[in-house]
Amino acid sequence: MDYLKFLHAGLAAWVKETAELCQPDKVELFDGEDASYGRLCALLIESGTFRKLSQELRPNSFLAESDPADTARVEERTFICSREKDEAGPTNNWVEPQTMKARMKSLFAGSMSGRTMYVVPYSMGPVGSSIARIGVELTDSAYVVVNMRAMTRTGLPVLKTLGKSGEFVRCLHSCGHSEKSRGKYDKTWPCDPERMAIVHFPEERMVWSYGSGYGGNALLNKKCFALRLASDRARDEVWLAEHMMIVGVTNPEEKRRYFAGAFPSACGKTNLAMLQSCLPGWKVETVGDDIAWMRFGGDGRLYAINAEAGFFGVAPYTSAKSNFNAMRCMDKDTIFTNVALTPQGDVWWEGIGWDAPEGTIGWDQGMAADGQAVPVLGQAKPLAHPNSRFTARASNCPSIDANWDNPTGVPISGIIFGGRRSTTVPLVYEARSWSHGVFVGSTLSSETTAAAAGQVGKLRRDPFAMLPFCGYNIGDYFAHWLSFGNMQGLQLPRIYQVNWFRKGEDGKFLWPGYSNNLRVLKWMFERCEGSAGGVDTPVGFMPSPGDIDTEGLGLSPEKLEKCLEIHKEDWMTEVALIRTFLLGLGDRVPNRLFKELAYLVERLGPR
Ligand code: SAT
Ligand code: MN
């Protein structure tokens, strides 16, 4: 650790101070090299956290099983501890920072005893890009380190870029020690479910996370830094940190345009990012599937980078049909968490596209050190946890875009908002203006699916798909988005809403979806070119049925028309819901959004 001192005094001091608090047995710098990654994977196998999958079927891949009490993000234990409560706003939990620090320090005290504290320097975005930022995570979880190796750019090149006095976000993570013994999980998956807390201090650019080793609770680079802290920072510095995928679309004339898109969970954001083309001559390529950092360039265009370097995707229902490219991403070098294990040493989950081989072992049954695995086939409980994940590298994605790692980023032509709506919202429409588009984003909604806890089919508003991820007052966040509309010299992207999930009277989806969504992207592409038609409707500009390429689709004209229908009554109901929602977000919601709502009512006409 000594040479850290030469590199960055602030970092060295923070490491020392944290080690004194958390009392790890050892402190180790993660250099990001393959050898170090391999050594940590071997350690994880030794401790029983990892099982190596079949080298023939899944080269260099592992299966991890978490404690059943630690399987997803915990929003109710996630806090934004800004100095002022109003800064955190109505959508975040808040506790006064000094009080929270005292509480957290008592949890961190000695929490790493018996473990190693890893120092993980990482870059969000291509190393050296002017949009990218550096973070350092101190963690006592080797599982976190190897996941970060896939999800971010890690290691010595990052430390070099950081230099002696560069700025970085401080992320401290400890799995903790449970007061209650959890049997086999104590060793394989340490955590402290009763006292979990994921805490952000935006003014200090710092995250403290205690008690969970899973996903966004523990990989602090992801939702904590790249969305919650970065959104706050982006507001101050006039850029955007968004929960968006980025996709490149190339037409037969080889012209490429990029789109960024925000979708609440379970709406197929990753599938859209990795779409397989269904149209001759058209290509679709992936830049990112979850987090876009965007900044307007000197030429007035909006440039986006993928803040990440891998995919942390939900496994269940990922198949060759729903997402062929994602399946190929996980052919090798992949870490699976909480999926089922086949007797052949491969992985399985519900909706993978084939039946579970006999003897397949469910996610919380298989890894007992004593080998007493109980196959649970035929049991109602799913074999893979609904929030089971794959961690795959972007570089292994067959559809990865040539510019995905370009430090300049990619120029964004259009921004897409999409939700899962069985009624009301048409297949696609284009916002009439920037502020109308911001209104569309701020009122984004989706119906809940069986995959998430709670009632199925319930309509939930999720503005910009950022409800759990906006690190400051959501009203100010809307104002920040609106502010770009008043700036001179910007080439603002067009803004779209899509809905692949509208249902007919028979309760079936009207639109065939999946690769066919490219037909909708094509309309947007051609709108940006100025070559596609758009009908002026009360909700926005829409394609007439003839503007959507349906060649070879076999979709009846009536069905397409139904996909595109606007029912005034439905929209009046929608307007009332939107008004209630916006009013519920407090007095910092910009008036402009209520104006946009009034315009919508006006365009819908008298009752
Ligand atoms: O666990 S993560 O936050 O990384 C993924 C998610 O919940 O969306
Ligand atoms: Mn996400």
Side-chain angles (χ1 to χ4, degrees):
M1 255 325 89
D2 252 10
Y3 73 93
L4 267 182
K5 251 185 280 184
F6 301 105
L7 242 49
H8 196 296
L11 174 55
W14 177 55
V15 168
K16 184 162 176 275
E17 179 190 309
T18 307
E20 279 164 12
L21 174 65
C22 300
Q23 295 288 311
D25 285 7
K26 263 198 308 185
V27 179
E28 245 184 64
L29 175 70
F30 181 63
D31 61 12
E33 298 299 319
D34 286 344
S36 312
Y37 174 82
R39 201 174 47 75
L40 288 181
C41 291
L43 263 180
L44 284 159
I45 290 173
E46 207 178 291
S47 68
T49 311
F50 266 11
R51 172 185 290 249
K52 181 136 178 45
L53 294 169
S54 154
Q55 185 63 19
E56 285 96 76
L57 300 172
R58 246 359 119 166
N60 306 317
S61 298
F62 304 92
L63 170 57
E65 183 201 346
S66 81
D67 187 308
D70 187 19
T71 57
R73 277 187 300 103
V74 283
E75 286 173 19
E76 66 289 354
R77 285 153 185 266
T78 300
F79 299 85
I80 302 291
C81 295
S82 41
R83 272 178 224 125
E84 304 288 328
K85 184 170 197 280
D86 247 12
E87 257 309 296
T91 58
N92 287 306
N93 300 312
W94 180 85
V95 170
E96 191 279 320
Q98 293 315 321
T99 311
M100 183 56 101
K101 271 189 196 161
R103 204 189 283 173
M104 292 298 282
K105 275 191 178 160
S106 73
L107 292 174
F108 280 126
S111 71
M112 296 185 185
S113 71
R115 296 192 200 134
T116 299
M117 181 173 91
Y118 300 95
V119 179
V120 189
Y122 63 91
S123 174
M124 297 311 282
V127 179
S129 160
S130 67
I131 312 177
R133 295 288 148 126
I134 289 175
V136 178
E137 179 156 339
L138 306 183
T139 177
D140 58 1
S141 163
Y143 170 86
V144 164
V145 180
V146 293
N147 273 274
M148 286 184 69
R149 167 69 180 77
M151 293 305 299
T152 69
R153 289 92 170 163
T154 48
L156 298 183
V158 179
L159 270 192
K160 237 191 217 152
T161 309
L162 182 63
K164 290 194 168 178
S165 57
E167 186 200 286
F168 65 97
V169 167
R170 289 164 158 76
C171 301
L172 168 56
H173 167 252
S174 173
C175 301
H177 288 277
S178 176
E179 288 182 327
K180 288 187 195 157
S181 170
R182 314 187 75 80
K184 71 167 178 171
Y185 296 105
D186 274 347
K187 187 157 164 275
T188 62
W189 192 276
C191 59
D192 189 353
E194 287 77 23
R195 300 188 294 178
M196 281 176 188
I198 293 79
V199 184
H200 307 70
F201 300 99
E203 286 100 349
E204 290 169 80
R205 297 187 183 133
M206 194 162 86
V207 188
W208 286 3
S209 164
Y210 173 86
S212 164
Y214 205 88
N217 297 334
L219 304 168
L220 304 184
N221 59 287
K222 200 171 172 53
K223 310 297 189 189
C224 298
F225 174 10
L227 291 178
R228 297 196 190 95
L229 289 190
S231 60
D232 176 63
R233 185 77 187 273
R235 178 242 331 234
D236 295 341
E237 296 174 356
V238 200
W239 53 285
L240 295 159
E242 299 299 327
H243 191 203
M244 290 182 181
M245 61 97 216
I246 310 165
V247 72
V249 181
T250 307
N251 74 3
E253 287 74 50
E254 294 287 314
K255 172 142 192 189
R256 191 178 317 186
R257 288 187 175 276
Y258 291 95
F259 295 87
F263 293 73
S265 60
C267 292
K269 180 158 59 103
T270 301
N271 299 352
L272 185 63
M274 297 184 187
L275 203 75
Q276 269 194 305
S277 174
C278 62
L279 296 173
W282 287 76
K283 255 195 324 224
V284 182
E285 280 148 318
T286 312
V287 178
D289 84 325
D290 199 41
I291 296 174
W293 282 3
M294 306 189 283
R295 195 191 265 278
F296 283 94
D299 59 358
R301 296 208 285 176
L302 182 61
Y303 286 86
I305 58 167
N306 175 3
E308 306 189 279
F311 310 109
F312 186 65
V314 175
Y317 299 97
T318 304
S319 68
K321 180 178 181 209
S322 69
N323 196 334
F324 177 84
N325 287 317
M327 293 301 280
R328 294 285 74 78
C329 292
M330 23 174 152
D331 278 343
K332 57 177 183 181
D333 311 326
T334 301
I335 300 163
F336 296 90
T337 308
N338 289 349
V339 302
L341 176 70
T342 73
Q344 292 75 32
D346 201 2
V347 289
W348 188 87
W349 48 81
E350 281 71 22
I352 196 172
W354 53 84
D355 291 338
E358 195 168 333
T360 296
I361 297 164
W363 70 274
D364 59 346
Q365 303 278 324
M367 310 259 295
D370 59 4
Q372 297 290 310
V374 193
V376 288
L377 259 189
Q379 200 168 298
K381 204 174 140 216
L383 291 180
H385 187 281
N387 191 39
S388 56
R389 300 276 175 161
F390 60 87
T391 312
R393 300 172 185 203
S395 53
N396 280 344
C397 177
S399 61
I400 202 74
D401 188 84
N403 283 316
W404 86 273
D405 206 19
N406 186 335
T408 311
V410 297
I412 297 295
S413 296
I415 292 172
I416 307 169
F417 296 112
R420 182 181 278 273
R421 296 292 304 264
S422 49
T423 65
T424 316
V425 179
L427 180 62
V428 61
Y429 65 89
E430 185 182 280
R432 311 173 69 84
S433 63
W434 181 259
S435 54
H436 179 222
V438 175
F439 168 79
V440 171
S442 62
T443 58
L444 186 61
S445 63
S446 192
E447 282 151 25
T448 52
T449 65
Q455 215 180 321
V456 175
K458 198 168 171 273
L459 189 63
R460 244 212 310 242
R461 298 278 151 196
D462 186 355
F464 289 77
M466 283 287 276
L467 195 58
F469 306 124
C470 179
Y472 61 105
N473 193 302
I474 194 91
D476 294 347
Y477 170 87
F478 298 153
H480 177 53
W481 264 88
L482 284 169
S483 70
F484 294 99
N486 304 321
M487 286 177 199
Q488 298 301 310
L490 302 187
Q491 290 180 47
L492 296 168
R494 292 173 186 239
I495 299 181
Y496 298 89
Q497 170 145 40
V498 299
N499 176 23
W500 321 130
F501 302 98
R502 198 170 189 176
K503 287 179 178 170
E505 270 136 35
D506 57 1
K508 294 202 175 123
F509 293 120
L510 288 164
W511 177 250
Y514 300 114
S515 353
N516 294 300
N517 294 337
L518 175 57
R519 299 171 191 273
V520 177
L521 290 177
K522 181 185 174 194
W523 178 72
M524 296 176 194
F525 187 111
E526 289 171 347
R527 284 290 292 171
C528 297
E529 292 286 297
S531 59
V535 185
D536 194 349
T537 80
V539 303
F541 296 108
M542 283 181 51
S544 57
D547 294 324
I548 299 276
D549 181 345
T550 52
E551 179 135 6
L553 184 59
L555 183 75
S556 72
E558 299 78 58
K559 264 201 179 160
L560 182 57
E561 231 159 86
K562 281 213 175 322
C563 290
L564 295 168
E565 244 166 28
I566 304 286
H567 288 297
K568 187 170 159 184
E569 283 308 306
D570 289 355
W571 275 91
M572 292 313 285
T573 309
E574 188 75 8
V575 160
L577 292 171
I578 289 174
R579 181 173 291 118
T580 308
F581 173 69
L582 289 179
L583 285 171
L585 291 180
D587 53 12
R588 294 218 204 174
V589 174
N591 223 354
R592 179 76 212 185
L593 297 183
F594 289 100
K595 250 192 199 151
E596 287 296 335
L597 185 65
Y599 292 152
L600 174 60
V601 172
E602 213 175 281
R603 291 192 303 263
L604 286 164
R607 265 186 182 277

